[in-house]
Amino acid sequence: MDNIKKDERIEDLSIKGLKIIQNPNYFCFGMDAVLLSWFASREEKKNLKMLDLGTGTGIIPILLYAKSENCRIDGMEIQPDLVDMANRSVELNQLEDKIRIIQGDIRNLTDEVLPNTYDVVVSNPPYMRGNSGLKNEHQSRTISRHEVSCTLEDVIRSAKRLLKDHGRLYLVHRPERLNDIFFLLRQYKMEVKLLQMVHSKADKEANLVLVEGRKSGKPGLMVKPPLIIYNEDGGYTEAVNRIYGL
Amino acid sequence: MDNIKKDERIEDLSIKGLKIIQNPNYFCFGMDAVLLSWFASREEKKNLKMLDLGTGTGIIPILLYAKSENCRIDGMEIQPDLVDMANRSVELNQLEDKIRIIQGDIRNLTDEVLPNTYDVVVSNPPYMRGNSGLKNEHQSRTISRHEVSCTLEDVIRSAKRLLKDHGRLYLVHRPERLNDIFFLLRQYKMEVKLLQMVHSKADKEANLVLVEGRKSGKPGLMVKPPLIIYNEDGGYTEAVNRIYGL
């Protein structure tokens, strides 16, 4: 195929015939992106304007498209190579009129994304603090994993600015960052409304947390039943199979 | 028995022969007090100074005594009738040299509890915001359930003041207050270090949350496996049986 470059591969997303271009030299999407798209689509999403901050190869806009109806979805990414891959995945799925990939820095928003215009903002931000953990030797994967180009506060500040009043922010993150997530959201006048812990097994500590915040939301939140990934026999649980459409 | 008044009953706590006086006209202890005592005793507690803020009938100091070794435990309560009941339960168990019940208002601390002297502070505070929910027609139960005499912020402010540096605060609360808990703890320079959700059943929303905060703690927290109360057949789970020593 014309639009595939060296080392790239096309993955079938097993939903509505959608596909995505991945490249092992870059950060490839994982279960967290799938869980976030599922979590953000819990309630019906229809005729909404959505934005994915730090969209990478564009996996989340494509999955959100699959799970929503008549929504307009933007994805913003700072790295030109990933913007190029994401754009080619959008073309591959002929979704140019539904999904727009924007090259940009969420710390310096331009007129391409206007304040107070989005119903939904989602983000699967870098998990590691800028100065913690081993930096990935490949610069691009480092940007995707570490807070070098964007911190959690950058994401929350931008979301606050871009969301309409009462608009929703969906995040997937590591549980150890919950102190920061709760504190920053309230500092930026948003409230956590829904929380779901993700545990690899029922008797293990949580590995991921899914968070729904609401701009100008009233206090009060619900903690959903835990999402368990693996059964005792090592296979996916029914809940995960349903999420993957298996 | 001499020290039992009208309407009171003595309950056996099924641990180390301990007993407690309860009175259905007042707020009686429930599973939340049992879970909090268990959660606060996860790690070995030996030779420590502990304090229970809003101790009610004294259930938590008595359970903490049962699960710890050579600790000195104080319980503070604003309501004189409950202080009297708690004191009589302490006498009933001959624990006068281990447990001290103090009548006092946690908003106006006196010399009976000195700043920066406690290793552990625990609290099962009123769950309802001052002006929300139905007020209990019995004034005492209202104080135990609603934030009329003490808000979450009062508890956290006092804990911050009374704890030694790096001392731990253990709370049981309703999940819907997590926004407040996280925000206030960080505001008072404490960090949530451990979190455990309590679900009545594995597929239900969380009913309670157990929180460990640490004064001057570094950011970063662990979310323990969910604690599920009932099996599908309606009986207690093994985990709960273990907590109750069944």
Side-chain angles (χ1 to χ4, degrees):
Chain A
M1 251 183 85
D2 266 348
N3 56 5
I4 294 302
K5 297 184 179 171
K6 186 171 169 292
D7 292 338
E8 290 182 352
R9 63 171 192 269
I10 295 179
E11 276 192 35
D12 191 319
L13 292 172
S14 306
I15 182 167
K16 296 192 179 175
L18 295 167
K19 296 171 173 49
I20 189 157
I21 301 168
Q22 297 280 282
N23 182 333
N25 297 328
Y26 293 81
F27 186 84
C28 292
F29 80 91
M31 184 178 274
D32 29 15
V34 175
L35 295 181
L36 177 60
S37 308
W38 163 77
F39 187 71
S41 309
R42 256 173 202 286
E43 292 182 356
E44 190 186 60
K45 296 285 186 278
K46 202 170 163 178
N47 307 320
L48 300 181
K49 210 177 144 195
M50 308 204 232
L51 171 66
D52 179 26
L53 290 173
T55 200
T57 56
I59 179 68
I60 290 172
I62 292 173
L63 290 176
L64 286 177
Y65 161 78
K67 290 162 194 272
S68 62
E69 198 180 325
N70 199 33
C71 289
R72 168 82 214 187
I73 308 161
D74 291 341
M76 179 173 267
E77 172 57 43
I78 194 170
Q79 303 187 60
D81 289 358
L82 290 173
V83 169
D84 173 62
M85 272 171 75
N87 263 322
R88 286 183 290 120
S89 283
V90 171
E91 287 164 25
L92 184 68
N93 293 296
Q94 298 177 298
L95 291 176
E96 295 93 328
D97 59 331
K98 296 290 183 191
I99 298 176
R100 179 176 62 145
I101 305 296
I102 302 158
Q103 206 234 309
D105 185 338
I106 71 165
R107 295 166 299 186
N108 297 299
L109 299 173
T110 63
D111 283 353
E112 285 185 287
V113 286
L114 295 172
N116 309 308
T117 58
Y118 289 92
D119 303 286
V120 170
V121 170
V122 304
S123 187
N124 178 2
Y127 291 153
M128 314 289 277
R129 285 171 190 281
N131 53 1
S132 76
L134 247 176
K135 297 270 163 66
N136 193 298
E137 51 186 16
H138 192 294
Q139 173 67 8
S140 168
R141 287 198 298 245
T142 298
I143 290 173
S144 299
R145 284 181 184 155
H146 292 260
E147 292 185 324
V148 286
S149 290
C150 129
T151 64
L152 181 58
E153 183 161 5
D154 294 330
V155 169
I156 289 172
R157 189 192 302 110
S158 302
K160 162 72 191 300
R161 192 169 166 218
L162 295 169
L163 281 170
K164 293 178 185 169
D165 214 32
H166 301 291
R168 291 163 201 228
L169 169 64
Y170 295 93
L171 294 173
V172 58
H173 219 300
R174 295 265 180 87
E176 58 257 39
R177 298 298 298 276
L178 273 173
N179 282 292
D180 297 324
I181 291 170
F182 273 95
F183 186 78
L184 288 168
L185 281 175
R186 183 165 279 186
Q187 208 172 34
Y188 285 96
K189 312 285 181 224
M190 300 174 81
E191 288 278 311
V192 180
K193 298 301 288 182
L194 200 63
L195 202 64
Q196 187 162 27
M197 300 297 171
V198 183
H199 300 257
S200 61
K201 292 199 167 191
D203 60 351
K204 298 289 181 205
E205 279 81 35
N207 311 90
L208 291 174
V209 58
L210 298 160
V211 178
E212 179 189 313
R214 190 181 288 204
K215 182 170 169 177
S216 316
K218 286 187 190 156
L221 82 90
M222 180 183 282
V223 178
K224 299 296 285 181
L227 178 64
I228 313 297
I229 304 296
Y230 298 107
N231 283 321
E232 279 173 36
D233 64 12
Y236 280 154
T237 56
E238 248 182 73
V240 172
N241 279 337
R242 269 200 302 276
I243 292 170
Y244 274 100
L246 299 175
Chain B
M1 249 184 86
D2 266 348
N3 55 2
I4 294 302
K5 298 186 178 169
K6 181 170 173 293
D7 292 338
E8 290 181 351
R9 64 172 192 270
I10 295 180
E11 276 192 34
D12 191 318
L13 292 172
S14 308
I15 182 167
K16 296 190 178 174
L18 295 167
K19 295 172 173 50
I20 189 155
I21 301 168
Q22 298 280 282
N23 183 332
N25 298 329
Y26 293 81
F27 185 84
C28 293
F29 81 91
M31 184 178 273
D32 30 14
V34 176
L35 295 182
L36 177 61
S37 308
W38 163 77
F39 187 71
S41 309
R42 253 175 205 286
E43 291 180 357
E44 190 186 58
K45 297 284 188 277
K46 201 169 164 178
N47 307 320
L48 300 182
K49 209 175 148 198
M50 307 202 234
L51 171 66
D52 178 25
L53 290 173
T55 200
T57 57
I59 179 68
I60 289 172
I62 293 173
L63 290 176
L64 287 178
Y65 161 77
K67 291 164 194 270
S68 61
E69 199 180 322
N70 199 34
C71 289
R72 169 84 214 183
I73 307 161
D74 291 342
M76 177 171 267
E77 173 57 44
I78 194 169
Q79 302 188 60
D81 290 359
L82 290 173
V83 169
D84 172 64
M85 273 171 76
N87 264 324
R88 285 183 289 118
S89 283
V90 170
E91 288 163 24
L92 184 68
N93 294 295
Q94 298 178 297
L95 292 176
E96 296 92 328
D97 57 334
K98 297 290 183 190
I99 297 176
R100 178 177 62 143
I101 304 295
I102 302 157
Q103 205 234 311
D105 185 338
I106 71 164
R107 296 166 297 186
N108 297 299
L109 300 173
T110 63
D111 285 351
E112 285 185 287
V113 287
L114 294 172
N116 309 306
T117 58
Y118 289 92
D119 302 286
V120 170
V121 170
V122 304
S123 187
N124 177 3
Y127 290 153
M128 314 290 277
R129 285 169 190 283
N131 53 1
S132 74
L134 248 174
K135 295 271 165 63
N136 194 297
E137 54 185 11
H138 193 292
Q139 173 69 5
S140 168
R141 287 200 297 244
T142 297
I143 290 173
S144 300
R145 284 181 184 153
H146 292 258
E147 293 185 324
V148 287
S149 290
C150 129
T151 64
L152 181 58
E153 184 161 7
D154 294 329
V155 170
I156 289 173
R157 189 191 303 108
S158 302
K160 161 73 190 299
R161 190 167 169 220
L162 296 168
L163 281 169
K164 293 179 185 168
D165 214 30
H166 301 291
R168 291 162 203 231
L169 168 64
Y170 295 92
L171 295 173
V172 59
H173 219 299
R174 295 264 180 91
E176 58 257 38
R177 298 298 297 274
L178 273 174
N179 282 294
D180 297 326
I181 291 171
F182 273 95
F183 187 79
L184 289 167
L185 281 175
R186 182 165 280 185
Q187 207 171 38
Y188 285 96
K189 311 286 181 223
M190 300 175 81
E191 288 277 312
V192 180
K193 299 299 287 179
L194 201 63
L195 203 64
Q196 186 161 28
M197 300 298 168
V198 183
H199 300 258
S200 62
K201 292 200 165 189
D203 60 351
K204 297 288 182 209
E205 278 80 37
N207 311 90
L208 291 173
V209 58
L210 298 161
V211 178
E212 178 190 315
R214 189 181 288 203
K215 182 170 169 177
S216 316
K218 287 185 188 154
L221 82 91
M222 181 183 279
V223 178
K224 300 295 284 180
L227 179 64
I228 312 297
I229 304 298
Y230 297 107
N231 283 323
E232 278 173 37
D233 65 11
Y236 280 154
T237 56
E238 251 182 69
V240 171
N241 279 339
R242 271 199 303 275
I243 293 169
Y244 274 100
L246 300 177

